Each structure stands twice: as structure tokens, then as C-alpha cells.
Amino acid sequence: MSRPSRDSPRVLLVQIRQPDDPMGAHELGCVTRRVGDDVALSSRNIFEESPTQAWLDECDGMILGGSGDYSVHDPRSAPWVNQLRRLLDLVLDQSHPTFGICFGHQLLAYHLGAPVNTDANHAELGTTTVDLTDEGRNDPVFGRYPNTFHVHTGHSDHVSETPKELVLLASNAALETQAFRVKGASFYSTQFHPDLCGIEAMDRYVAYHRSLRPLEDDQAPPSNLFRPNLDESATLIRQFLDKFAFNTG
């Protein structure tokens, strides 16, 4: 296995998980595999430190991860959500290459004025497909994918509309707002999880199924809702980084 050199591209994973949450290490491992072993990946946790300009200065590209237990619209989350929104102001002002995943996707839309709601009618759990919009088919990152491709999902919150500052790239029958690109900036986001392969998504679900209670009746859904080897979206993060952060795409 190759090791990052001193001149390797640098990526920062911003985590929104309690420091003792074992899924923090799980997420870091999954993102490590998605970005590639030639990349110098570091992480910072919003529950351990407040974001500053230094977070952007130390990386070529940033990933805003999922949260597992937290909702962007929950008033109890406001203190650290507001800190992340100040980080987003820096990212958007500087067009710093950034990719938001699940919570990161919702945070971006919420920051730009879109409602984020908890609604079982738009919740998803398991492996499903998304369809590219016209803009997605012509996008330099998403346009490399088939018009319909598989993704792994797990969310009970969702973005209810597309803010005017965003371009809608992918949708499906359960949820229109599956993927965004910020107009005029190198910032993408997805409601689904391109950080996970099917086996990893199953592991994440087992850890967090209680926070997905709106999806459940008396018992958790079967873990075989996640289908291994349907991992087309697992290349998405690296393709984004190659195009916008590493200038190799």
C-alpha cells in the first residue's frame, strides 16, 4: 500500500459525532478508503473544537460528514450548527472545494434558507437508485455516471426544496433533493452516502437504527435492505476531489 508523501493532496473530514461514538472511527475509515491511500486525510470534530479559517488553510478539499444522532433543525443543535454555518460562510466566500454528505447536505441547504424536516414519507433506508437531472447529466462530476445508478441511504430528515443558490443534480421517487451543486462554487452535496459501500452501510445502520425510529414499527427493518456490491457511488468523492481539489480530473 502506498503512503501519502509530504506533497500529497490534503483532505479534511469534519465530523459531527460525539468523541466516544465508535462510528466516528468507522466514518474516518470509510472516507479514507473513498479518497484513496495517496491522500493525506485528517479529521476535526465539531464537539471537540470550534472551526476557524485554519481548517480551510490546512486542506485542499473538505468533507462535511454525517451525524448519526443529530438533526440540523433541532433547537438543541443550534450552538454547534451555528459554528458550522460560520464555517460554511468561509467555504462559500472562498469557493473552497467541499463535499457534504447526508447531514452535510442538509446543513448546506439549511444554511441557504431551505426547510429541513423530519418526515417518514421521505425517509430512506437501504440501497436504492437515483436519477440524474438534466443538469446532473451535464455535470463534470455526476455526468460520468449512468442516468440511473445505485446509492446507499439512511436518513429520516430531508431537504424540502432546492434553494436558488443550488443546482439539483439527482432525484428519485422518495426524495427530489438527492444531490446539489452550489452555483459558481466547488461545493457538492448528497443526501445519500457515497462514503459507504454496502457492507459499511449495513454496519452504520446497525449502530444507528434507533435514531432512524420514524422508519420503523416495533422492530428494526432487516439489515439486508443494504445490498453489497452495488457501490457505484463509492467513486463519487474521489472524482469530485480530482476535479476540484486536486486539479487532476
Side-chain angles (χ1 to χ4, degrees), residues 43-196:
S43 67
R44 291 184 181 272
N45 193 317
I46 190 64
F47 292 110
E48 296 182 307
E49 53 186 321
S50 298
T52 66
Q53 176 64 45
W55 288 27
L56 304 187
D57 294 341
E58 70 184 24
C59 68
D60 302 299
M62 189 170 71
I63 297 170
L64 288 173
S67 69
D69 290 325
Y70 299 100
S71 293
V72 69
H73 62 83
D74 190 326
R76 294 170 294 183
S77 303
W80 51 267
V81 165
N82 289 337
Q83 292 185 47
L84 288 170
R85 293 184 70 175
R86 288 191 287 273
L87 179 64
L88 286 188
D89 282 333
L90 295 174
V91 167
L92 293 170
D93 182 62
Q94 300 167 35
S95 192
H96 191 84
T98 300
F99 198 106
I101 302 169
C102 197
F103 180 93
H105 173 80
Q106 295 162 7
L107 177 69
L108 170 64
Y110 184 75
H111 184 63
L112 295 174
V116 175
N117 298 310
T118 304
D119 183 352
N121 292 323
H122 295 284
E124 296 177 288
L125 180 63
T127 303
T128 185
T129 57
V130 297
D131 303 312
L132 294 180
T133 63
D134 289 342
E135 291 83 359
R137 285 189 286 273
N138 292 301
D139 184 78
V141 176
F142 277 77
R144 302 182 184 188
Y145 288 86
N147 289 345
T148 300
F149 60 95
H150 289 92
V151 300
H152 305 299
T153 66
H155 67 94
S156 52
D157 291 351
H158 75 285
V159 179
S160 299
E161 60 188 55
T162 301
K164 66 181 187 304
E165 297 89 346
L166 302 181
V167 176
L168 181 64
L169 300 174
S171 300
N172 66 10
L175 182 63
E176 177 180 315
T177 55
Q178 287 284 356
F180 296 135
R181 170 174 56 82
V182 178
K183 295 176 182 177
S186 50
F187 195 144
Y188 283 60
S189 67
T190 60
Q191 181 58 73
F192 57 88
H193 276 273
D195 56 320
L196 299 174

Side-chain angles (χ1 to χ4, degrees), residues 20-34:
D20 60 352
D21 184 345
M23 287 297 103
H26 184 269
E27 181 180 50
L28 182 61
C30 294
V31 172
T32 298
R33 288 183 282 276
R34 301 296 92 81

